[in-house]
Amino acid sequence: MLKIAVLVSGGGTNLQALIDAQSGGKLCGGEIALVVASNGSAYALERAKKAGIPTEVMLRRSFSSQADYDAALIGLLEKNGIGLIVLAGFMTIISAQVVSRFRNRIINIHPSLIPSFCGEGYYGLRVHEEALKRGVRVTGATVHFVNEVCDGGPIILQKAVDVLPGDTPRSLQERVMKQAEWKLLPEAVALFCENRLRVEDGRVTIKEVQS
Ligand code: GRF
């Protein structure tokens, strides 16, 4: 079994989508073994507890330097035998040290069609505010591997979502979550667990299943 750690900071609806996929038998070969929260009040922690998944809270401010924090995070993940890390709304910076230790084994979900509305400062409602400001007709979500560039890693899956007249950042955020994020993330994790993702020259290929 591939052990999966899900890193969270907020409501945890994407974590819930993963928990539901697991109980529906869709994460063949993988198991959510640990949920790590960047703060103790993340509702995601309740979701994990309800599902019987072990949790840890790691506050960045409890560590005097980024290097100390990184070492503790890597230690925690290694101690638990984690083979895949999923960032599901995790608001603490993942440093180059962690990225290189888990190269092509960290997945992130971003609520836009990368390379639009992404990078430094593009998180939460801001992403949808900027999409509405620009007047795009279509937005969506992207699941990608994490590298040293913010939202710049190899793209695994994307799904488009319509922007509708009268949309507010909140209504758009909700539609992107429902129509794209909650489907894409479990799908990408399942592909990883089935060992069907290959990264070459910064691009991902998805292996077809032999029939
Ligand atoms: C999602 O919009 C995700 O795309 C972004 O952070 C949000 C997390 O929401 N990275 P939730 O905690 O999964 O409900």
Side-chain angles (χ1 to χ4, degrees):
M1 269 291 180
L2 175 84
K3 291 191 172 186
I4 304 165
V6 185
L7 277 51
V8 295
S9 296
T13 60
N14 281 287
L15 166 66
Q16 191 64 54
L18 290 171
I19 292 171
D20 294 346
Q22 175 166 286
S23 21
K26 289 179 190 147
L27 297 188
C28 295
E31 157 193 38
I32 308 169
L34 180 67
V35 168
V36 181
S38 63
N39 66 84
S41 56
Y43 183 69
L45 286 169
E46 301 308 314
R47 297 181 189 269
K49 283 172 195 157
K50 236 179 253 170
I53 302 166
T55 59
E56 289 278 349
V57 176
M58 277 198 58
L59 301 178
R60 170 63 185 84
R61 64 171 184 274
S62 305
F63 298 86
S64 54
S65 67
Q66 182 71 39
D68 285 356
Y69 172 83
D70 294 343
L73 182 59
I74 291 172
L76 174 68
L77 297 167
E78 286 183 340
K79 187 180 87 189
N80 284 277
I82 299 301
L84 172 66
I85 300 162
V86 180
L87 307 183
F90 190 59
M91 298 298 289
T92 301
I93 287 167
I94 288 287
S95 71
Q97 204 187 330
V98 180
V99 170
S100 71
R101 174 64 192 79
F102 290 92
R103 176 78 54 200
N104 295 333
R105 286 192 289 142
I106 309 176
I107 283 177
N108 181 48
I109 175 114
H110 182 78
S112 76
L113 293 174
I114 289 174
S116 290
F117 314 115
C118 65
E120 215 77 38
Y122 280 88
Y123 58 85
L125 275 182
R126 162 105 202 277
V127 178
H128 305 291
E129 275 162 18
E130 294 299 325
L132 289 175
K133 243 191 243 166
R134 186 62 185 82
V136 293
R137 304 293 186 202
V138 172
T139 183
T142 302
V143 182
H144 63 92
F145 282 114
V146 172
N147 66 8
E148 287 77 1
V149 181
C150 180
D151 295 329
I155 291 170
I156 302 170
L157 294 173
Q158 292 187 298
K159 190 168 193 297
V161 173
D162 285 338
V163 177
L164 300 180
D167 259 336
T168 62
R170 280 212 184 276
S171 68
L172 188 55
Q173 178 182 52
E174 211 178 285
R175 189 174 318 109
V176 168
M177 282 182 149
K178 275 194 192 144
Q179 293 185 5
E181 295 186 43
W182 301 341
K183 293 180 183 157
L184 279 192
L185 190 58
E187 222 179 286
V189 169
L191 287 169
F192 187 97
C193 293
E194 291 160 21
N195 198 21
R196 291 176 57 197
L197 301 176
R198 294 282 173 276
V199 184
E200 228 176 305
D201 297 332
R203 284 191 301 269
V204 175
T205 47
I206 302 176
K207 263 198 349 198
E208 294 300 323
V209 259
Q210 311 288 343
S211 55

